[in-house]
Amino acid sequence: MGTVEPQVAQSGGVQEVTDGFHLVIDALKLNGIDTIFGLPGIPITDFTRMAQAAGLRVISFRHEQNAGNAAAIAGFMTQKPGICLTVSAPGFLNGLTALANATTNCFPMILISGSSEREIVDLQQGDYEEMDQLAVARPLAKAAFRVLHAGDIGVGIARAIRAAVSGRPGGVYLDLPAKLFAQTMDAAAGKTSLIKVVDAAPRQIPAQDAVKRAVDLLKSAKKPLIVLGKGAAYAQADNEIRSLVEKTGIPYLPMSMAKGLLPDTHEQCASAARSFVLPGADVVMLIGARLNWLLSHGKGKTWGGKDHKSWGGQKFIQVDISPQEADSNVRIDAPVVGDIGSCVSALLAGIGASWPKPPAEWLSAIAERKKNNIAKMAETLAKNPSPMNFHSALNVVRDIIKANPDAILVNEGANALDFTRSIVDMHKPRKRLDVGTWGIMGIGMGFAVAAAVVSRQPVIAIEGDSAFGFSGMEVETLCRYNLPVCVVVFNNNGVYRGTDVNPTGGPDVAPTVFVKGARYDKLIEAFGGVGVHATTPDELRKAMEEAIRSRKPTLINAVIDEAAGTESGRITSLNPKSGEKK
Ligand SMILES: Cc1ncc(C[n+]2csc(CCOP(=O)(O)OP(=O)(O)O)c2C)c(N)n1
Ligand SMILES: [Mg+2]
């Protein structure tokens, strides 16, 4: 229990007192929180010092959005809420994008922001950094709370933790006004006011009849398919999921952050035949995957429908922790609601010991597609064009990840994202961290810092040059904490490509184009990190191997053909088209 200077009580005896600063720190520590990602300033500067003094790891960033992204991904990796700490109004707003992104992606995080004086804020009298932060955060968070009295800090932190990790995880906002930190109270009373949360994310056991319905439907399938989502990766039920896949013999498709849950090289992995299995399957079991845009809403041509809105005819089993998820886009014939671990265990019990493998016709058709596509890809990867293209550079990254399966791969960009996802096999669970549900740029360095801090494993961040720019200043943070992060900037001179020209012929370059031939490697050298300029696969390989070996913060500027990419990577079709006729 942290206490502040003893004060002389009215009775004449000495009374131990504590205050808001220490109660927040004690409440976090009591609940097993050991790291805070943040950025100091009024009113939380002293808090960061005291937290460090109390043994918490305080990782300071250069912009709150990166601290927020770090907290969110730490939450995903550990199932404990990641904590992001910011100052009021502008700092809070900078953290808010990460909070909203965490909620959208179901990452448990708590954004704790200091706030200004309530009386002044509520009368809009113009306080320092005045903003009604609680109201602003509420629609973007899974839950939002404010604590006004030191004696309520224990409850406030407990509620924030429960809200972040229970059920479907998400982002929680906790508003702590400046005055709260300095409030004092009796130390003993303070101590008893704290709550050690018991069973913060209780198991949710699925109903037996729901499990039976799902197993019966699966049994009827001639062309079954399993889709593993990020929720399945989050659940840390890796053995159960692997057993279910292997015992049923059903081909599976991992969503981006579920890659590696089973190795991408597994014979049942259908990634290389995605466009065959989605329209071909008759029963699809979704495990921790939502039928959002990333799965074309479960309908349309991707699923064999006649046009972009029509149903392909599949029946769906959906395993999800949220009872509201089913029927969000198409009919779900067999919803199984509960935590993924409990649901998969129940399904395993339901399928029993003698489950027949799917019809050989289905499996061999998939194997055939896979073989052809993998052979085609191998041919493309073996080429060695100059300058490098995405394929020749990613051929190197793929080897490096294979040789270092515990390394964590952070990935953002458009082409730099899509090509990496499809080319670089993942071999272990939760090793691929990327732009998630929103396809958000800017997660790169925040995720990389958190991944290194939480896992202590080497981190490789494959970054589009545009994507990198959103959080690039955090290379100083990588150097300051001496983190084993190797950033590879896929430098194609711009957003998607570097080849656009200004149609007016004027002096401004096109909106998608950056300074050509930029040397991102020089950035990290300013802070004592290792910068490498790589123009060939050999140079890239050597630099990556050295970065992994040395564990020194490294930035490799990988020069990629500026004409190699496509508009928006793989999602060109989402761009609206002008109807103007000239
Ligand atoms: C916050 C945010 N702003 C803008 C975008 C739109 N956007 C999608 S990908 C991208 C950058 C693509 O360029 P780059 O990272 O260089 O990847 P490349 O395709 O060139 O490999 C942008 C700006 C976004 N997804 N998120
Ligand atoms: Mg680019």
Side-chain angles (χ1 to χ4, degrees), residues 456-458 482-485 546-554:
R456 297 177 191 276
Q457 297 290 343
N482 194 24
L483 298 172
V485 175
E546 177 57 18
I548 299 252
R549 195 202 57 73
S550 72
R551 294 178 69 91
K552 285 191 192 143
T554 300

Side-chain angles (χ1 to χ4, degrees), residues 576-581:
K577 299 255 178 313
S578 167
E580 188 178 272
K581 301 230 162 53

Side-chain angles (χ1 to χ4, degrees), residues 212-505:
K212 180 168 186 317
R213 192 184 298 120
V215 170
D216 288 347
L217 181 52
L218 206 54
K219 215 171 260 170
S220 74
K222 300 274 179 299
K223 299 172 176 181
L225 176 70
I226 292 174
V227 177
L228 300 173
K230 183 168 55 196
Y234 176 79
Q236 298 192 16
D238 309 336
N239 293 338
E240 291 87 340
I241 289 170
R242 187 172 185 143
S243 292
L244 184 70
V245 170
E246 290 182 343
K247 285 201 173 139
T248 58
I250 298 175
Y252 72 94
L253 209 54
M255 300 301 288
S256 192
M257 281 177 60
K259 275 166 70 76
L261 209 39
L262 288 84
D264 282 340
T265 48
H266 195 285
E267 67 159 335
Q268 286 170 253
C269 181
S271 292
R274 188 180 196 269
S275 59
F276 176 72
V277 292
L278 289 181
D282 60 353
V283 175
V284 179
M285 179 154 70
L286 304 159
I287 303 182
R290 296 171 288 184
L291 281 176
N292 57 21
W293 72 280
L294 287 158
L295 281 170
S296 306
H297 307 282
K299 58 193 169 192
K301 289 189 175 158
T302 306
W303 292 88
K306 276 198 302 294
D307 54 52
H308 82 287
K309 283 243 169 191
S310 48
W311 179 46
Q314 293 82 4
K315 295 201 178 259
F316 287 100
I317 299 163
Q318 185 158 32
V319 180
D320 201 281
I321 194 147
S322 167
Q324 291 178 30
E325 186 57 40
D327 304 330
S328 62
N329 285 274
V330 293
R331 180 192 308 117
I332 300 299
D333 300 278
V336 181
V337 175
D339 68 277
I340 302 289
S342 300
C343 290
V344 172
S345 297
L347 287 163
L348 265 173
I351 64 163
S354 55
W355 185 268
K357 292 261 179 287
E361 212 179 308
W362 174 234
L363 298 184
S364 58
I366 296 170
E368 183 69 21
R369 289 327 183 273
K370 263 181 76 172
K371 202 176 79 198
N372 292 342
N373 289 340
I374 289 173
K376 250 187 261 163
M377 179 59 90
E379 227 173 83
T380 317
L381 291 178
K383 289 186 184 143
N384 190 3
S386 177
M388 285 190 283
N389 61 12
F390 290 96
H391 293 87
S392 62
L394 284 166
N395 189 37
V396 172
V397 178
R398 174 183 153 114
D399 290 349
I400 299 276
I401 291 286
K402 189 174 177 193
N404 300 277
D406 285 314
I408 292 173
L409 179 71
V410 172
N411 190 202
E412 61 177 338
N415 294 282
L417 175 90
D418 292 339
F419 283 119
T420 305
R421 186 181 55 238
S422 60
I423 293 170
V424 178
D425 290 328
M426 303 309 297
H427 305 274
K428 293 196 174 183
R430 291 171 298 284
K431 296 296 186 186
R432 186 185 152 84
L433 310 173
D434 67 27
V435 299
T437 313
W438 269 349
I440 189 172
M441 296 300 111
I443 48 87
M445 296 303 102
F447 278 17
V449 169
V453 165
V454 167
S455 75
R456 297 177 191 276
Q457 297 290 343
V459 176
I460 295 168
I462 303 297
E463 301 274 314
D465 51 339
S466 166
F468 173 70
F470 288 73
S471 67
M473 193 63 206
E474 304 296 346
V475 293
E476 189 274 333
T477 310
L478 300 180
C479 294
R480 187 164 15 107
Y481 294 103
N482 194 24
L483 298 172
V485 175
C486 173
V487 182
V488 184
V489 176
F490 274 30
N491 187 356
N492 63 350
N493 295 339
V495 177
Y496 314 137
R497 310 160 59 92
T499 49
D500 277 11
V501 287
N502 180 343
T504 71

